[in-house]
Amino acid sequence: MSRSPDMVEHPRPRFAPWLMEPMLRNKGTYMKVALAAAMVNIFGLITSLFTMTVYDRVVPNNAITSLVALSIGLVVVVVFDFLLRILRAYFTDLAGADIDHDIGSRVFRRLVAIRLDQKKGSTGALTGMMRELETLRDFFASATMTALVDVPFIVVTLVFIAILGGPLVWVPLAAIPIVIGAGWLTRPALDRLSAKSMSEGLTKQSVLIETVGALEMVKTSGAARLLGRRWSAANVAHGDSSTRQRLVSTIAITVAASANTLSYAGTVVAGVFLIADHRLTTGALVACSILSGRAVQPLATIASLLSRLSATRASYKQINGMMETGSEEPGAGALRPVRFDGRIELRGIEFRYPGAAEKTLDGLNLVIPAGQRVALLGRIGSGKSTIARLILGLYPPQEGLVMIDGTDIRQYDPWAMRGLIGTALQEPVLLSGSVRENIVLARDGVDDAEMLRVSELSGAHSFMGRIANGYDLRLADRGEGLSGGQRQAISLARALAGKPQIIVFDEPTSAMDQASEAQLIGRLEAELQGRTLVLITHRPALLRLVDRIVVVENGRVVQDGPRDAVLKDLQRPRVAA
Ligand code: ATP
Ligand code: MG
């Protein structure tokens, strides 16, 4: 993990460190924002003093020279005010961009380290949640932050009104509770509606992602009607809660605007009586009426931002929930092996998928000595792929131990461990980008020569040569642009790159023709010499690669022995392989 050095400076906050650390790091910038905001507020006070002086001193005496001097002073103030406002916006953006960048990478790092057994929510919901980061960014890099900084200056403005207009201060003081009250009363509803609207937005996103990801299936199997129903239901629900959310926030905004006007007008009305009593000058009244509008303004701005604040809270909760689910990020003492001998042991494994009723693996024991090549056979759903997942540490077993080279795999840094295991899972998943990128995956130690070597091994080279652009062919999402068998060959090349000592192949040739398969087997035989292979397959031809066969049924080992003995045994009652 690379962390910038000044991030260590602050003690790790206990509350949402992913959010607090970047914020604390930008403390300096926010101080500048606050300073600029303070100056802008003070300039506002100066402007009101200018007005007062003009009314009280310049107008009665027709003192044009004073007016000129005052105007020059005011122009200077306006210029500084202009500059400081721009600086304030600039610093807010600066801090916002930095926080956004930092949070974005923390959340992404956490997303890829999420523990699969604790993952909640669909793909769509998870991606939608990443989009919620935008809402957080809007908060940090926007007027919201500035409006919050302005709030303390309400007090300063009120003090000023009290000095200039004495009892007039009661008018804005009375208006403030109205604005706060409206905000406070609408907030629970807004919070609820924001949370609702967000979760409905996520549902919409889920439907969309599922549909777009499976367009071919949607067309061919006629799933359009089912998905269309889900989509319009999600749309209606989302539209409904959004409308209500806007209505509630409009109420708060309008109350604040009315209170603002009332505060201004009330000051003028009350001021007339004070002037009649000779307790106030006209100039002071004008100044106070301007100031009383300013006193309420930050609250009115906040009222108009209330729905954004609620949305920010909802997003924060959502993201924080994800940040608090279990992570694979290794502890300080995690082992980072540089190579494995290749001994794999599963001892007394009991495993149930999260939320599943039945145990998938039930008392499974399996020892694979270093350098042995083993095939796992068994019917569909017998638990073969699950064994592979456990060996890779994707799921922890509820009971029992998974060990590699005699060490419990929980002690390894999962990334380092998986980096030493060549894996081709049952469904080859490619990424967008070039074929080269898909094989190399930005891994150190996999250069062009190695990429070519493994492509030849996996058979990818034979068709890459025939395709225009070859290894630089750009694939669309999930490897669109290649056939099923081609995708499989590339995923095998990826697994073989870097000569890992342990290889886990789950149905490596299920999408290949027999001739390609036979050639592949021939090449793999030499390549896999002396390496540990866990091969899951339904294809008899592949068994040429292994020394031993293990048959799995209902999550247990039911047969285990040298290849030929087990094969002979299997052929007697029924052909299982
Ligand atoms: P196949 O030969 O069809 O690939 P398999 O032996 O690889 O089958 P597994 O994928 O290990 O079978 O699945 C074993 C059982 O675990 C299945 O009954 C399935 O219902 C269940 N299962 C698999 N994956 C999950 C999952 N992610 N969540 C819940 N249950 C799962
Ligand atoms: Mg499987």
Side-chain angles (χ1 to χ4, degrees):
M1 254 185 302
S2 65
R3 295 191 168 204
S4 58
D6 48 0
M7 232 146 92
V8 196
E9 243 172 59
H10 311 281
R12 203 177 164 80
R14 264 179 305 152
F15 160 77
W18 60 275
L19 181 61
M20 296 313 286
E21 274 176 16
M23 277 182 74
L24 285 176
R25 199 151 52 85
N26 280 283
K27 224 168 43 186
T29 315
Y30 279 123
M31 293 298 272
K32 289 181 196 142
V33 172
L35 198 67
M39 295 303 286
V40 167
N41 276 286
I42 289 169
F43 290 158
L45 300 178
I46 292 178
T47 317
S48 69
L49 282 183
F50 167 80
T51 316
M52 185 174 87
T53 318
V54 170
Y55 269 90
D56 286 351
R57 306 249 188 271
V58 177
V59 175
N61 310 324
N62 203 12
I64 299 301
T65 1
S66 311
L67 182 65
V68 170
L70 282 173
S71 303
I72 292 173
L74 189 71
V75 167
V76 173
V77 167
V78 168
V79 169
F80 273 105
D81 182 68
F82 172 81
L83 292 177
L84 281 168
R85 276 175 198 269
I86 296 213
L87 275 181
R88 180 176 67 174
Y90 170 71
F91 282 128
T92 319
D93 272 337
L94 207 66
D98 184 76
I99 292 180
D100 180 46
H101 180 80
D102 193 338
I103 293 183
S105 49
R106 279 165 195 258
V107 171
F108 189 83
R109 222 188 296 141
R110 195 54 184 255
L111 181 72
V112 288
I114 199 166
R115 274 181 56 169
L116 291 178
D117 58 324
Q118 295 182 9
K119 179 173 83 88
K120 288 192 234 29
S122 62
T123 313
L126 272 179
T127 47
M129 199 202 56
M130 293 301 277
R131 223 186 38 182
E132 292 303 315
L133 284 174
E134 301 280 311
T135 318
L136 274 189
R137 203 236 341 255
D138 277 355
F139 176 78
F140 288 113
S142 73
T144 327
M145 223 44 189
T146 321
L148 291 180
V149 173
D150 283 345
V151 169
F153 283 95
I154 295 176
V155 179
V156 179
T157 311
L158 288 176
V159 169
F160 232 74
I161 298 177
I163 294 172
L164 295 182
L168 274 187
V169 74
W170 290 109
V171 180
L173 267 181
I176 288 172
I178 301 179
V179 181
I180 295 182
W184 189 69
L185 287 178
T186 49
R187 219 207 53 178
L190 266 183
D191 275 354
R192 192 167 37 82
L193 289 169
S194 299
K196 191 155 175 278
S197 153
M198 189 187 63
S199 90
E200 282 157 2
L202 292 182
T203 315
K204 246 168 89 173
Q205 176 98 350
S206 305
V207 178
L208 206 58
I209 294 230
E210 210 171 14
T211 309
V212 174
L215 267 184
E216 271 187 23
M217 182 284 271
V218 172
K219 286 176 195 291
T220 51
S221 321
R225 187 206 280 258
L226 174 73
L227 289 170
R229 266 194 219 138
R230 285 190 194 166
W231 172 249
S232 49
N235 238 344
V236 167
H238 188 226
D240 186 49
S241 59
S242 305
T243 313
R244 280 195 283 162
Q245 186 187 3
R246 268 195 298 277
L247 181 65
V248 175
S249 81
T250 307
I251 293 176
I253 293 172
T254 317
V255 167
S258 305
N260 206 343
T261 317
L262 277 179
S263 166
Y264 170 78
T267 310
V268 173
V269 171
V272 171
F273 292 100
L274 288 178
I275 290 177
D277 280 357
H278 296 289
R279 287 165 62 194
L280 195 72
T281 64
T282 317
L285 174 58
V286 175
C288 285
S289 62
I290 296 175
L291 286 175
S292 73
R294 292 187 64 95
V296 183
Q297 191 51 50
L299 292 178
T301 314
I302 290 191
S304 73
L305 293 170
L306 266 186
S307 70
R308 185 190 275 177
L309 285 174
S310 288
T312 306
R313 262 168 58 103
S315 305
Y316 160 77
K317 277 193 197 155
Q318 187 82 13
I319 297 172
N320 198 43
M322 202 271 290
M323 295 301 280
E324 281 176 357
T325 45
S327 155
E328 283 184 334
E329 271 177 44
L335 303 175
R336 293 191 176 77
V338 284
R339 59 162 275 121
F340 280 138
D341 292 334
R343 181 187 145 92
I344 301 173
E345 179 171 355
L346 293 106
R347 190 189 294 165
I349 301 287
E350 311 266 338
F351 177 71
R352 187 200 305 268
Y353 279 102
E358 302 278 320
K359 277 185 192 164
T360 299
L361 299 180
D362 190 1
L364 182 113
N365 288 296
L366 181 63
V367 179
I368 304 171
Q372 192 177 58
R373 293 178 294 177
V374 182
L376 296 183
L377 307 186
R379 298 191 173 192
I380 58 171
S382 53
K384 307 179 297 294
S385 299
T386 306
I387 295 177
R389 292 192 184 114
L390 259 56
I391 292 175
L392 291 162
L394 294 176
Y395 291 87
Q398 279 90 32
E399 287 292 327
L401 271 186
V402 181
M403 296 192 286
I404 293 181
D405 282 2
T407 305
D408 185 342
I409 61 167
R410 281 173 298 188
Q411 294 191 36
Y412 293 126
D413 170 349
W415 302 97
M417 179 189 91
R418 289 177 205 142
L420 297 174
I421 305 179
T423 314
L425 292 181
Q426 193 158 9
E427 271 158 45
V429 177
L430 302 192
L431 305 174
S432 59
S434 68
V435 171
R436 186 191 306 272
E437 277 176 311
N438 263 291
I439 297 175
V440 177
L441 292 180
R443 286 178 289 184
D444 306 329
V446 183
D447 52 14
D448 269 10
E450 175 69 358
M451 185 202 71
L452 283 173
R453 188 187 73 86
V454 292
S455 301
E456 264 161 31
L457 258 173
S458 73
H461 190 69
S462 64
F463 62 82
M464 283 329 303
R466 277 186 272 120
I467 294 177
N469 288 342
Y471 292 100
D472 291 320
L473 172 74
R474 310 288 307 177
L475 304 179
D477 301 352
R478 302 177 71 87
E480 259 171 56
L482 290 177
S483 76
Q486 290 172 334
R487 278 206 284 264
Q488 201 157 40
I490 289 178
S491 109
L492 288 184
R494 182 156 78 190
L496 292 165
K499 293 199 171 181
Q501 185 62 22
I502 301 178
I503 303 267
V504 177
F505 280 168
D506 195 348
E507 300 280 358
T509 58
S510 57
M512 291 187 191
D513 60 285
Q514 282 175 5
S516 307
E517 185 182 44
Q519 287 165 2
L520 174 72
I521 293 169
R523 289 187 298 259
L524 282 181
E525 249 180 330
E527 169 74 8
L528 297 179
Q529 224 37 265
R531 287 152 71 178
T532 308
L533 171 70
V534 179
L535 174 68
I536 298 166
T537 184
H538 295 294
R539 303 274 284 237
L542 272 179
L543 297 180
R544 238 178 72 197
L545 285 174
V546 302
D547 328 308
R548 171 182 167 199
I549 292 179
V550 172
V551 182
V552 181
E553 206 176 293
N554 292 330
R556 285 165 184 274
V557 174
V558 291
Q559 237 169 340
D560 185 356
R563 176 186 64 192
D564 297 326
V566 175
L567 273 183
K568 205 180 281 170
D569 218 37
L570 284 175
Q571 264 145 17
R572 236 173 290 144
R574 60 167 192 271
V575 184

